[in-house]
Amino acid sequence: DTGVSQDPRHKITKRGQNVTFRCDPISEHNRLYWYRQTLGQGPEFLTYFQNEAQLEKSRLLSDRFSAERPKGSFSTLEIQRTEQGDSAMYLCASSLNINTEAFFGQGTRLTVV
Amino acid sequence: QKEVEQDPGPLSVPEGAIVSLNCTYSNSAFQYFMWYRQYSRKGPELLMYTYSSGNKEDGRFTAQVDKSSKYISLFIRDSQPSDSATYLCAMVRFQGAQKLVFGQGTRLTINP
């Protein structure tokens, strides 16, 4: 499989619980992005990595959110103390370098009940 | 005001029709433009990627960029029911974080 892989595809959690999502980018892609998409809206940027370095975080990424990309390979996005407003599709994308197109994974759909 | 504006539709056309999807943007710093197709409950799939003003054709799809008007379009010829999806425009600045800024998406239905 040469595409961006995300796990799990769907997560249902109770409010207040912590959740962690994983993204495996396309091999050799240096850049990795996390986006959030709510129903009827386009994806909104959360954060991105150049190799293992997290270079930018959106103001949408509150203190309850943390992302890592150890060794510049896969990435994890953790949400602590989930709230109902966190319910959304969390998308991961990767690109080879600064000026090439980004390819998205299938997303992780989070439902907070 | 959003940086990228896109009519959310929904847009419904008969099979075989030519479809025109559009986005406008306010920031002239945007230099690269993309169109993504997103099926329900799936991730966005890249369709077209353009940089220059003008037209770029790929099969039944044509992407058009007018930087002077800050306006981009996607045309679908001989539309098929399988083209039914949400179409998202996205753009990125030449300098800076290189993060994609998306439009809201247009929901398109092609009726057999």
Side-chain angles (χ1 to χ4, degrees):
Chain A
D1 185 9
T2 58
V4 177
S5 177
Q6 291 189 247
D7 183 68
R9 292 292 308 279
H10 195 178
K11 178 72 176 179
I12 301 173
T13 190
K14 292 183 178 179
R15 188 174 53 186
Q17 297 295 305
N18 299 342
V19 293
T20 300
F21 311 139
R22 177 180 170 123
C23 171
D24 287 90
I26 294 172
S27 179
E28 298 181 353
H29 276 198
N30 300 319
R31 292 202 160 208
L32 185 147
Y33 309 81
W34 284 99
Y35 287 80
R36 181 171 68 187
Q37 185 177 27
T38 54
L39 196 63
Q41 300 296 317
E44 294 177 294
F45 171 80
L46 291 178
T47 188
Y48 88 95
F49 293 83
Q50 172 77 31
N51 298 313
E52 67 274 11
Q54 188 174 19
L55 297 184
E56 185 171 345
K57 293 193 294 185
S58 164
R59 281 171 287 185
L60 292 175
L61 215 65
S62 75
D63 292 343
R64 298 184 295 106
F65 288 71
S66 63
E68 295 183 342
R69 193 184 182 194
K71 302 179 182 178
S73 56
F74 71 92
S75 176
T76 58
L77 177 67
E78 181 183 17
I79 309 174
Q80 296 182 329
R81 305 181 302 282
T82 52
E83 302 173 357
Q84 286 190 321
D86 297 330
S87 295
M89 172 84 90
Y90 290 84
L91 294 162
C92 177
S94 69
S95 65
L96 185 58
N97 59 43
I98 196 170
N99 283 338
T100 60
E101 54 267 45
F103 296 90
F104 282 81
Q106 295 300 298
T108 293
R109 181 171 296 278
L110 173 67
T111 302
V112 181
V113 297
Chain B
Q1 183 183 3
K2 293 183 178 181
E3 287 187 282
V4 180
E5 297 281 355
Q6 183 176 10
D7 186 342
L11 180 62
S12 182
V13 301
E15 183 176 356
I18 297 174
V19 177
S20 172
L21 304 166
N22 311 295
C23 287
T24 59
Y25 60 97
S26 57
N27 192 336
S28 58
F30 288 128
Q31 296 292 323
Y32 297 86
F33 305 91
M34 284 142 277
W35 285 95
Y36 285 85
R37 177 174 62 195
Q38 186 174 29
Y39 293 112
S40 181
R41 299 183 178 273
K42 302 288 187 181
E45 170 194 10
L46 181 66
L47 282 177
M48 301 285 285
Y49 176 85
T50 60
Y51 168 71
S52 303
S53 283
N55 294 348
K56 180 178 180 180
E57 191 172 317
D58 185 359
R60 296 184 296 110
F61 298 91
T62 299
Q64 188 175 78
V65 174
D66 182 347
K67 291 185 179 180
S68 63
S69 300
K70 299 188 183 66
Y71 189 88
I72 67 171
S73 299
L74 178 71
F75 298 96
I76 307 174
R77 291 184 300 279
D78 187 25
S79 55
Q80 305 294 312
S82 59
D83 294 328
S84 298
T86 294
Y87 288 81
L88 297 154
C89 65
M91 45 201 78
V92 65
R93 295 175 182 85
F94 184 71
Q95 295 178 336
Q98 296 299 306
K99 60 180 182 277
L100 291 170
V101 179
F102 282 87
Q104 185 176 352
T106 299
R107 188 170 178 181
L108 173 67
T109 300
I110 308 297
N111 300 304

